[in-house]
């Protein structure tokens, strides 16, 4: 990356100054490189001289001038920097040589992370003893296998918009890590032994619904809500749920087969629905496979050899097998201070127990494997059926064995995720525990207007209203697509290019990605269907506009055999170039922080900067050199925005 290249040279210059000063001790290496808000301060600026003043025992301006001299002597960072200024009280302002940048870092830079000058930067890094930590983490783990688990919806009813946020975040992380050179495997975990499926099975047998439904999942949505209401008036049905839980966990009985049929039918609907958003998986992992293949039995024996896993003999948890908190604060009353039950006194496994076994397998620590079969043409599934050996096992044998695991699960599951990590640590797998990452995010709730449309009483004046599957409150994904498509179709001025449905899907996906991960998304239909501002539609229009300009350019674009001469830059041209130059850094930051919203913000700012450039600088009018440069700049913008759209899972439309 450009920023890494500059930092590496700055550190090399500081090291030279340190050695020449004859000061004892290790040379300070930390360099902060900022991007000034104002163009007159350069493309990059550092206060390193002020930070080093105490160690060097010299005024910051003197140190800055020494660093400047070293950079100039070494060739202005291999020609990347056109000018260096020292500004009181000791800032170093660096002005890019845009011709050199364009030659080495334009369109191909993001596609080839170690292209050109960056290779030299990495060589410089390896020569500096304190520099190892500065290497981009995405590159250091590029050869490793990353396993990402996302979606993981209970297979008992149709999916709603809250589930979709999980899937969009997870799929974007998959695209992001693959773009930055990782080998990524995608799992969708199916909890087919849980309370929710048991409730739906009880509901199918003990409720009556006389209403037409387009999909089985929608029917089960109503069944699930109805049985949860019925539990209040007929509490004896709670014992029926316990019986069903035991039956589906035992397998090979009428109830278990009915559970399999219900779950598989709904999962097929979920997979098809996510496919509309470009979301795909490599493997479906069924919870029943973990139990029936003996994964938990193996994990149980391993845990029994530790000091933190034991069966309680008295108290409210008597008979339960629990994972003791390693350092629980007994003065706290929060859930985090409680021991985690893995096996209840009635013998039923908790979700966390099965998750621990699953993660031992993810990291290749169980010394056994699932059996597999195709679920669709492109998707595999775990299985325990007799036909599982028919040629499928060898083809799917490469699953698991991950170096890093990323779980996309909302913030309410933070404690169970910590318990999985603690179990790995207790078993002596510290390396794997450190490589387990929980990407937490805020849930999706409803705005007062959206809630009122669903019949929720909003007279209490709350700012948001939670969705509840038990109460049948929520916006199903299919219904959401239809409603947004209708709005888009009514407001779009032209029906060229993408269909209104494709635009609606892109709008929804971007809406769910653009918020900070920890933000609660208060869904509002009006906001989700806006076509201006920070929206998916705005990005699509920006790409289509650039494409239209380049199509009109025709001969000028075809005549560009390389990088054109870069003239004196107008402010709008400079802003667009500067933003384009920051794409590799943004890509690396998003990969490091696992933050899709970083990409959304970059894309919105890029589209806005291009819009300003388009308005201020007539692209196809002017002298030939000016036109050539602006066409080239537009092509770079289209290329970069197309890359961002691809990672975000949005289309790159030829026209709109």
């Amino acid at each position: 990356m450009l920023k890494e290249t500059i930092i590496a040279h700055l550190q090399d210059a500081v090291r030279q100054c340190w050695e020449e000063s004859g000061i004892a001790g290790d040379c300070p290496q930390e360099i902060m490189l900022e991007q000034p808000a104002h163009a007159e301060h350069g493309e990059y600026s550092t206060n390193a001289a002020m930070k080093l003043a105490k160690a060097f025992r010299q005024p910051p301006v003197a140190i800055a001038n020494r660093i400047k001299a070293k950079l100039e002597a070494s060739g202005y960072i291999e020609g990347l920097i056109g000018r260096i200024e020292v500004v009181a009280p000791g800032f170093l302002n660096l002005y890019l040589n845009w011709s050199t940048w364009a030659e080495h870092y334009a369109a191909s830079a993001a596609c080839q992370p170690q292209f050109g000058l960056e290779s030299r930067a990495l060589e410089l890094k390896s020569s500096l003893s304190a520099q190892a930590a500065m290497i981009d983490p995405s590159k250091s783990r590029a050869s490793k296998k990353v396993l990402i688990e996302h979606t993981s919806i209970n297979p008992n009813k149709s999916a709603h918009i809250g589930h979709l946020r999980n899937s969009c975040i997870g799929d974007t992380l998959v695209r992001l890590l693959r773009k930055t050179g990782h080998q990524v495997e995608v799992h969708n975990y199916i909890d087919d032994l849980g309370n929710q499926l048991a409730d739906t099975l009880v509901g199918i047998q003990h409720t009556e619904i006389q209403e037409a439904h387009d999909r089985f999942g929608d029917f089960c949505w109503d069944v699930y809500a109805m049985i949860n209401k019925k539990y209040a008036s007929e509490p004896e049905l709670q014992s029926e749920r316990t019986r069903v839980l035991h039956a589906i966990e035992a397998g090979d009985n009428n109830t278990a087969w009915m559970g399999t049929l219900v779950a598989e039918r709904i999962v097929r609907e979920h997979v098809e629905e996510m496919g509309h958003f470009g979301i795909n998986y490599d493997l479906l992992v069924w919870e029943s496979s973990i139990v029936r293949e003996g994964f938990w039995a193996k994990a149980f024996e391993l845990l029994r050899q530790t000091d933190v896993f034991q069966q309680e003999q008295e108290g409210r948890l008597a008979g339960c097998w629990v994972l003791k908190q390693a350092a629980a604060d007994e003065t706290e009353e929060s859930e985090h201070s409680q021991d985690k039950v893995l096996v209840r006194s009635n013998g039923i496994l908790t979700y966390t127990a099965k998750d621990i076994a699953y993660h031992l397998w993810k990291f290749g620590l169980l010394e056994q494997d699932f059996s597999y079969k195709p679920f669709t043409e492109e998707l595999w599934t775990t299985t325990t059926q007799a036909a599982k050996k028919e040629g499928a096992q060898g083809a799917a044998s490469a699953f698991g064995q991950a170096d890093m695991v990323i779980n996309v699960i909302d913030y309410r599951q933070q404690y169970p995720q910590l318990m999985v990590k603690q179990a790995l640590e207790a078993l002596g797998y510290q390396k794997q525990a450190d490589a387990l990452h929980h990407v937490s995010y805020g849930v999706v709730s409803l705005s007062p207007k959206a809630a009122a449309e669903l019949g929720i009483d909003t007279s209490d004046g709350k700012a948001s209203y939670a969705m509840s599957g038990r109460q049948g409150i929520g916006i199903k994904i299919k219904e959401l697509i239809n409603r947004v498509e209708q709005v888009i179709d009514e407001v779009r001025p032209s029906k060229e290019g993408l269909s209104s449905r494709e635009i609606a899907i892109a709008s929804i996906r971007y809406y769910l990605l653009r918020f900070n991960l920890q933000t609660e998304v208060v869904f509002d239909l009006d906001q989700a269907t806006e076509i201006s501002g920070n929206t998916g539609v705005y990005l699509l229009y920006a790409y289509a506009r650039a494409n239209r300009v380049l199509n009109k350019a025709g001969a000028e674009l075809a005549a560009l055999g390389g990088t054109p001469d870069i003239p004196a830059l107008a402010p709008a041209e400079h802003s667009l170039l500067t933003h384009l130059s920051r794409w590799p850094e943004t890509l690396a930051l998003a990969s490091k922080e696992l933050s899709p919203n970083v990409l959304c913000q970059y894309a919105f700012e890029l589209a806005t900067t291009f819009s300003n450039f388009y308005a201020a600088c007539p692209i196809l009018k002017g002298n030939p050199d000016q036109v050539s440069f602006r066409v080239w700049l537009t092509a770079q913008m289209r290329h970069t925005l197309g890359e961002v759209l691809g990672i975000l899972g949005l289309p790159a439309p030829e026209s709109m």
Side-chain angles (χ1 to χ4, degrees), residues 545 549 568-576 607-622 626 629-630 633-634:
R545 170 179 283 177
V549 169
L569 297 173
E573 293 170 328
H574 181 269
S575 294
L576 184 53
T608 301
T609 305
F610 175 70
S611 179
N612 294 337
F613 161 74
Y614 180 85
C617 303
I619 299 173
L620 301 180
K621 295 180 181 179
Q626 195 173 53
F629 168 68
R630 289 176 178 173
L633 188 54
T634 301

Side-chain angles (χ1 to χ4, degrees), residues 556-573:
E556 288 85 352
L557 184 61
L560 288 176
T563 305
D565 293 332
I566 296 182
L569 297 173
E573 293 170 328

Side-chain angles (χ1 to χ4, degrees), residues 341-601:
V341 175
L342 300 187
V343 185
R344 298 188 180 96
S345 58
N346 59 8
I348 291 179
L349 302 178
T350 64
Y351 174 87
T352 305
K354 289 166 279 194
D355 211 26
I356 289 171
Y358 178 28
H359 280 79
L360 287 169
W361 173 84
K362 283 182 179 181
F363 284 113
L365 302 173
L366 275 187
E367 298 181 356
Q368 60 190 89
D369 198 4
F370 289 111
S371 299
Y372 307 93
K373 68 176 183 179
F375 190 78
T376 65
E377 185 175 344
E378 302 293 333
L379 176 61
W380 289 88
T381 179
T382 62
T383 182
T384 56
Q385 297 179 20
K388 62 192 177 186
K389 301 294 184 182
E390 296 178 2
Q393 192 70 29
S397 61
F399 288 125
Q401 303 287 332
D403 298 296
M404 177 185 296
V405 171
I406 297 172
N407 296 326
V408 182
I409 309 175
D410 75 58
Y411 76 94
R412 295 170 297 185
Q413 297 300 312
Q414 180 178 1
Y415 182 56
Q417 287 291 298
L418 289 174
M419 297 307 292
V420 173
K421 185 181 288 281
Q422 182 186 325
L424 290 171
E425 291 171 341
L427 291 168
Y429 299 124
Q430 187 62 53
K431 177 182 176 183
Q432 288 77 8
D434 293 340
L436 174 60
H437 303 280
H438 173 204
V439 174
S440 170
Y441 63 92
V443 298
V444 179
S445 59
L446 303 173
S447 69
K449 182 179 179 181
E453 290 178 358
L454 292 176
I456 300 174
D457 180 7
T458 59
S459 60
D460 55 5
K462 292 194 297 186
S464 63
Y465 295 84
M467 290 186 287
S468 171
R470 295 183 186 279
Q471 299 178 48
I473 298 172
I475 300 177
K476 302 183 188 76
I477 294 175
K478 183 179 180 181
E479 293 174 354
L480 176 63
I481 295 174
N482 291 338
R483 294 176 71 181
V484 175
E485 179 186 7
Q486 181 180 355
V487 173
I488 294 292
D489 200 56
E490 291 172 354
V491 301
R492 64 185 301 199
S494 170
K495 300 298 190 292
E496 294 182 8
L498 298 177
S499 68
S500 294
R501 190 169 189 81
E502 290 173 308
I503 297 173
I505 289 171
S507 299
I508 295 167
R509 177 160 177 145
Y510 185 80
Y511 180 82
L512 294 173
L513 289 172
R514 71 181 176 91
F515 296 95
N516 183 286
L517 285 178
Q518 300 309 312
T519 300
E520 174 193 6
V521 176
V522 181
F523 177 80
D524 183 89
L525 184 63
D526 292 339
Q527 289 183 6
T529 53
E530 289 176 348
I531 61 174
S532 60
N534 191 4
T535 66
V537 176
Y538 181 70
L539 301 187
L540 301 186
Y541 272 113
Y543 185 90
R545 170 179 283 177
N547 195 67
R548 184 172 65 251
V549 169
L550 293 173
N551 286 337
K552 288 182 179 179
E556 288 85 352
L557 184 61
L560 288 176
T563 305
D565 293 332
I566 296 182
L569 297 173
E573 293 170 328
H574 181 269
S575 294
L576 184 53
L577 261 180
T578 300
H579 204 71
L580 288 169
S581 74
R582 293 172 183 171
W583 167 230
E585 297 164 18
T586 303
L587 183 63
L589 178 64
S591 176
K592 177 182 177 181
E593 296 186 350
L594 301 175
S595 299
N597 61 289
V598 170
L599 299 173
C600 293
Q601 187 61 34

